[in-house]
Amino acid sequence: MAEIAEVADGIYRLSLLRPPRGCVIHFIAGERTSLIETGPAVIIPGLLDSIRQLGYDPAKLDYIFLTHIHLDHAGGVGTFARQFPQVKVFVHPRGARHLVDPSRLIVDTKRAYGEKFEDQYGFILPVSEGQVRTLEDGEVISLGNRELRVIYAPGHCAHQMCFYDSKSEGLFSGDAIAAFGSNILLPGADSDLDAIIETHDKLLRLNPRIAFTSHRGALSDGLSAHIQAVRDNTKNCGDIILEALRAGEEQEQIARKIGSYEKEFIPAEYRLGAEELGNVISWYRNYFKKKGLA
Ligand SMILES: [Zn+2]
């Protein structure tokens, strides 16, 4: 059963799976009703129940906005859209063709989540081309009594978008400012460090009142300090790792350095676990190699 919470006027957070398996989904009860994300296919029945529990009919849902097409955010969009052909799916132009033909997406998902990801998450089904709409940076979509503005937010992946809600002055931030429980942005296989930092700077200038994050609930108190901290920690840890790699240091030495950085700058509850830390260091290592920096 979903936990449902109204997190701003007309915006409901639906939590159906614990992270990291699934992200939270937001339902916007505008004159035009919308979902931000669908989560993976396995939760679609629960998601439909939640929408009905809120007094809305999924067969009348207008829009699905996807921040990006990773499995935990959008794996179920094909399953949803097939059942409800009236719904329009908004996605970044670079994500659109992978929704219509998910064969590449399925290969990448197997690489990230394992060959048998379907057992846990359900199938990734195609979305019919006629239901997919692409969005440009800065474009505004009217929901009748409120508007969503598209903010391109590359970094976590090249095709990520955030959505700024005029009514709450809130930002649906996807994985742009915090993934899971960390104060370092955990980079993924298709992340770009420079773009992560640029996106943080862009969101700091935007200065939203509240952020509806995909893995950490709503953040309002100290939001800009939080974005600044994630930005700085992500950048500083990258710098520490790059310097260590150039000095020829081993994984263990690098992990100790990041560990002491965390002790100094990151509150205990947001520090990386040993496994995550190892993954992050490996990611930076591959990234700097690919860029020819180390
Ligand atoms: Zn993601």
Side-chain angles (χ1 to χ4, degrees):
M1 212 53 215
E3 275 169 47
I4 301 178
E6 187 170 13
V7 287
D9 185 18
I11 299 177
Y12 298 86
R13 184 180 64 217
L14 317 175
S15 312
L16 289 117
L17 270 184
R18 296 258 153 250
R21 274 187 68 207
C23 71
V24 300
I25 293 157
H26 292 91
F27 176 82
I28 308 178
E31 280 167 31
R32 259 159 249 134
T33 52
S34 311
L35 286 174
I36 310 285
E37 331 280 36
T38 61
V42 70
I43 68 166
I44 299 300
L47 175 58
L48 300 180
D49 283 349
S50 309
I51 295 171
R52 292 186 184 111
Q53 217 176 308
L54 286 168
Y56 292 87
D57 180 357
K60 291 186 182 150
L61 186 84
D62 293 286
Y63 304 134
I64 294 171
F65 291 85
L66 299 176
T67 63
H68 61 302
I69 62 173
H70 287 167
L71 176 66
D72 49 337
H73 294 254
V77 68
T79 303
F80 194 110
R82 172 172 299 205
Q83 224 175 315
F84 301 105
Q86 87 289 349
V87 79
K88 298 282 175 280
V89 178
F90 290 115
V91 67
H92 190 284
R94 293 175 80 149
R97 69 193 170 94
H98 301 295
L99 293 185
V100 176
D101 171 9
S103 47
R104 246 288 298 286
L105 182 62
I106 291 169
V107 170
D108 289 348
T109 304
K110 284 185 174 166
R111 199 173 300 136
Y113 288 85
E115 280 295 317
K116 300 197 159 186
F117 77 86
E118 285 107 341
D119 294 351
Q120 264 198 307
Y121 294 90
F123 290 94
I124 295 178
L125 301 181
V127 182
S128 108
E129 198 163 2
Q131 286 178 268
V132 178
R133 298 276 185 281
T134 59
L135 293 173
E136 294 305 318
D137 192 22
E139 202 172 333
V140 174
I141 306 294
S142 171
L143 305 184
N145 56 344
R146 66 204 309 155
E147 291 177 335
L148 290 188
R149 176 149 50 95
V150 179
I151 316 277
Y152 276 13
H156 170 69
C157 57
H159 68 276
Q160 182 171 244
M161 305 187 288
C162 297
F163 305 104
Y164 181 80
D165 169 47
S166 58
K167 202 167 174 187
S168 63
E169 297 172 47
L171 184 74
F172 296 95
S173 58
D175 287 346
I177 60 171
F180 311 136
S182 162
N183 261 26
I184 297 179
L185 200 116
L186 299 181
D190 44 357
S191 298
D192 180 279
L193 187 55
D194 295 332
I196 286 174
I197 305 301
E198 277 165 32
T199 288
H200 283 139
D201 288 335
K202 188 176 182 182
L203 298 182
L204 283 165
R205 286 192 299 275
L206 179 71
N207 196 20
R209 215 178 49 72
I210 181 168
F212 311 107
T213 78
S214 290
H215 294 286
R216 205 160 153 176
L219 298 173
S220 52
D221 291 343
L223 175 60
S224 61
H226 169 73
I227 298 175
Q228 185 74 48
V230 175
R231 177 209 182 278
D232 292 348
N233 292 334
T234 306
K235 166 118 183 48
N236 294 341
C237 289
D239 289 348
I240 292 169
I241 293 168
L242 179 59
E243 195 185 319
L245 289 172
R246 284 177 167 165
E249 289 179 23
E250 297 298 326
Q251 181 94 0
E252 263 175 47
Q253 276 172 288
I254 303 176
R256 268 200 300 278
K257 280 190 176 161
I258 299 297
S260 23
Y261 177 88
E262 285 196 297
K263 258 185 211 147
E264 194 170 343
F265 295 104
I266 301 180
E269 69 268 33
Y270 298 137
R271 288 178 202 152
L272 301 169
E275 194 189 323
E276 281 174 328
L277 183 56
N279 292 340
V280 166
I281 295 172
S282 304
W283 180 85
Y284 278 106
R285 183 199 300 276
N286 294 335
Y287 177 77
F288 288 132
K289 260 194 200 144
K290 214 166 52 192
K291 288 243 160 180
L293 296 168

